[in-house]
Every structure is written in structure tokens, then in C-alpha cells.
Amino acid sequence: GRLEAVTQQMGYHPQYLDSFLKMQHYLMHMDGPLPFDCRHYIAIMAAARHQCQYLVNLHMLQFLRAGGDPQWLRGLDFIPPKLRNLNEINKILAHRPWLITKEHIEKLLKISEWSWSLAELVHAVVLLAHCHALASFVFGCGCEQDEGPGGRGSLKPLSPGSQCFCEATAGSGCSQELLRINRKRSLDSCMELDCLRERMQRIHVETEGREEMRLLQQDREEGEGRERRWVIALTRLRDSPLTDTDGEVTGATNLACYMQDPDFGYQDFARRDEDQTQVFRAQDYSWEDHGFSLVNRLYSDIGHLLDEKFRMVDGLQSSAMAKRLGCEPSVFKRGIWNYIHCMFGIRYDDYDYAEVNQLLERMLKVYIKTVTCYPEKTNSEMFDRFWKQFKHSEKVHVNLLILEARMQAELLYALQAITQYMI
């Protein structure tokens, strides 16, 4: 399965993994404002901003599985204007979220043939922030550099029943309940054809009735039709300019077709004493008091799932790291969280930022900033060589803090802009 490396890493904290998969399953596969194929294409656009081939390949397969048009995979020039218009906010959210204004929101929501609804835009914003942050985790834990035939970045044609992004395998250490929750998918997108044929064969043996035989034949024909459609789609994809001579999707150089202005990247947020309006005051607009209620109102229940995930990562223990520094685990985690938010211009009036330099060693700060702001620059040795005195599970915990703090920061800026537009 394409997600195995990520689930293995998150599996060091199974309670968090449970919460993560439930939120992601709801975001990608349950009822919501956006069509399923558009969700995966938006994920491709988001992952491409950080050159995350791992996530791009994964969502390309899921896009096809959801019935998406293979021509869209040729790049932004081949998608509807409505989706293409999302590129600007995707670019800003990924690299400099403090630049988002209500004018960006107004431009997307203006009355036209390609306008977005508020509910659709909130769904898209959550998707973008989720995939940007997940790209940080993928690079931070070395999933992108995984070795193997063709490398982790290669895309091989998988069967229609191959594991999807939200599914957990038996070897991932997840509970059976988690497996059940994340396999509630439609027959077309979740069951392997072999399993389908076995089920139909059991029906034939048990019933031996004419009606059952008729249904069996009908299901078999539909299953074979789905298989033929997949072969055609993947053949078209192999024949497109995106692929090499072996029929595999090539490396990160091709990701440029999914983004505009590729040179736009992170720049240090500079606090200017003469221009305090740039600083995002957490006391003026917070997730708990403002963001949660807005997102939950426009995209039902996603706020509860996001809030559970934020609380879950905050509740994870980092006793060894905190003990080494002689502080409480909560103090250490807050230092990391506030340092990440500070890099995006979010500041807390009740926090002494001198603590950050006391709590976080220079090398750890370099690692956190790299994974947070430009994860594509993370090399395969950073995870293993930094802070060797910490357990592997605690290194993963730091990457989970990066994932969640970054996602919340992007959401705060986007939701504040939406709120200002609504006012």
C-alpha cells in the first residue's frame, strides 16, 4: 500500500493514528461539498507545491479510482477554470499564509460561472492545509526517500482494489475497529475484483436460484467493465507526456505542471515594530473561539474531527525529551508549537519567547524550521542524525507536532480571511 510508510511512522502513536485516519477518511471519502475526484486533484495541487512525489502519486491513483478525467493529470492547463482559480490561495497557504486577505476569498466567491460556494471553499481550504502539513510529515520522517524498485516516487499501475490512502493494512498495527471504520467505502472504490468474484461465487453456491444467477452475471459484467475502464485510464496515463519509456510516472521534475509560479516559496516572517498589523494575535482570533465554530458550521462535523486531532497530539507524552531538558512535557511541546506558529507570524501575548531558545537546541530548531517551511529541502539523513539521544517514537512525535501546528496556522489565516469577508 502506498501509505504504508506513513502509517508505520504514525503507528508509534496509535491513538493519534486512529484520530488522523478518521479525520482524513471523512475529508476524502465521506459526504461533503466537493466531488470526490476534485478532492484528490486539490490534494495533488497541494502536494506539488512541496514537490512531494509520494503524495502526488498516491492521489493520482485515487483520482482515477474516483472516476477523474485522466486528461486533468496533464496539468493545470487541462482542468476546469474553477479548480485552476484555487492555485493562488494554494500557493500562498503553502508558503506565506499571512498574505491571505479577504480579497482572495472574494475573488473565488464572486458570482460567475466558475464561482465557489462558502462550503466548497472551506472544504478546499481544509484539504490544502491538510496536504501541505502532511507533506512536511512525509519529508520529515523520510517517507519520500524510501528505497525500493523505482524508488518511492515511482507510480506503478495498481489494481482497482489496491489500498487507498485512508485504509490501514493488517500489518500496520491498527485495531480491527480502525480497519472497519476506514473501509466503509463504496463497492466501486474499495473492494478488490478478486474479492468481488469470490463473493458472487458464494452467492451462486448458496442460492442456486435463477434470480441470484442473473444478479451474479450482472455484477460480473459491471466488475469487468470497471476493470476495462481502469486499464484504459492507466494506458492513457502511460501514453501521456508525464511518463517515461517504462510506463512509470517520472520524478519531481514533472510536478511543475501542477503549479504556477514555482519560485514562490517561504520567506522569513519579519516582525516590524512600525507595522504591527502584520502580526497575527492569537488572542484576537483563535481556533478554539473562532475557527472551530466557523469551519464546523460550513462543513459539518469536520471541526470536531480536526479539534480531536489537535487535542490528541497535544496529549501525547514526550517524557524523555522533557526530562533531558529538565522541564515538564507540556512546556516542551508548547515551545515547539509556539516556535512553529511564530515562523508563520502567529504570536501569543502570554508566552515568553525566550523559552524557545532555552528549550530547543540549535540543531533541533534547524530541523523543525526546515520540515515546517521548506520540507522538500529535508534530506534523508536529517531524521536519523538529529537528536540521537531521543527515541524514534519521540522523533515521530516532534513531526506530528509540526504537522498539526502548521495545519492549524494555515487554517487560522484562511478562516480569518473568510470571517472578514462574511462581515
Side-chain angles (χ1 to χ4, degrees), residues 25 163 166-170 176 178-186 190:
H25 177 70
Q163 183 184 33
C166 293
E167 292 170 350
T169 63
Q176 291 300 314
L178 185 57
L179 291 174
R180 183 186 67 79
I181 292 173
N182 291 285
R183 285 174 176 167
K184 285 183 177 178
R185 299 279 307 281
S186 66
C190 198

Side-chain angles (χ1 to χ4, degrees), residues 347 351-360 365:
R347 298 184 70 88
Y351 185 73
D352 180 7
Y353 284 87
E355 286 188 9
V356 171
N357 292 329
Q358 298 171 4
L359 293 172
L360 307 182
K365 289 175 66 177

Side-chain angles (χ1 to χ4, degrees), residues 59-227:
H59 285 286
M60 286 172 70
L61 287 172
Q62 293 303 308
F63 171 79
L64 290 175
R65 176 181 290 175
D69 184 351
Q71 289 297 315
W72 290 17
L73 298 180
R74 297 177 64 185
L76 298 183
D77 292 336
F78 298 87
I79 64 176
K82 179 176 179 178
L83 268 181
R84 195 182 309 123
N85 291 341
L86 199 64
N87 179 71
E88 184 70 11
I89 196 173
N90 174 35
K91 176 184 75 174
I92 297 174
L93 264 183
H95 305 295
R96 306 174 204 171
W98 57 87
L99 297 180
I100 288 183
T101 65
K102 66 178 182 179
E103 284 72 28
H104 291 104
I105 305 301
E106 184 177 14
K107 185 176 179 181
L108 290 169
L109 298 176
K110 66 180 180 180
I111 300 176
S112 71
E113 183 182 358
W114 308 110
S115 65
W116 290 72
S117 70
L118 266 176
E120 288 175 331
L121 184 56
V122 167
H123 193 169
V125 162
V126 175
L127 269 169
L128 291 172
H130 170 72
C131 292
H132 294 155
L134 188 57
S136 286
F137 183 86
V138 167
F139 280 105
C141 288
C143 301
E144 180 76 5
Q145 295 86 13
D146 188 41
E147 297 294 334
R152 173 72 64 174
S154 64
L155 172 62
K156 300 178 183 299
L158 302 181
S159 67
S162 295
Q163 183 184 33
C164 76
F165 190 74
C166 293
E167 292 170 350
T169 63
S172 68
C174 298
S175 65
Q176 291 300 314
E177 175 64 13
L178 185 57
L179 291 174
R180 183 186 67 79
I181 292 173
N182 291 285
R183 285 174 176 167
K184 285 183 177 178
R185 299 279 307 281
S186 66
L187 186 64
D188 287 342
S189 64
C190 198
M191 295 189 65
E192 295 185 5
L193 290 178
D194 290 341
C195 293
L196 178 59
R197 295 190 182 100
E198 290 174 6
R199 180 179 67 83
M200 293 189 292
Q201 183 62 29
R202 285 198 300 271
I203 293 175
H204 169 57
V205 172
E206 292 171 358
T207 60
E208 298 182 351
R210 281 189 173 183
E211 182 63 18
E212 286 76 5
M213 287 294 293
R214 185 183 67 79
L215 293 174
L216 171 63
Q217 182 63 27
Q218 179 180 334
D219 285 353
R220 180 179 291 112
E221 290 173 356
E222 290 178 357
E224 291 172 352
R226 286 193 299 273
E227 189 171 20

Side-chain angles (χ1 to χ4, degrees), residues 362-378:
R362 180 181 177 277
M363 293 300 288
L364 179 55
K365 289 175 66 177
V366 170
Y367 176 84
I368 291 173
K369 183 171 183 177
T370 303
V371 175
T372 301
C373 303
Y374 18 77
E376 62 277 7
K377 296 183 179 180
T378 308

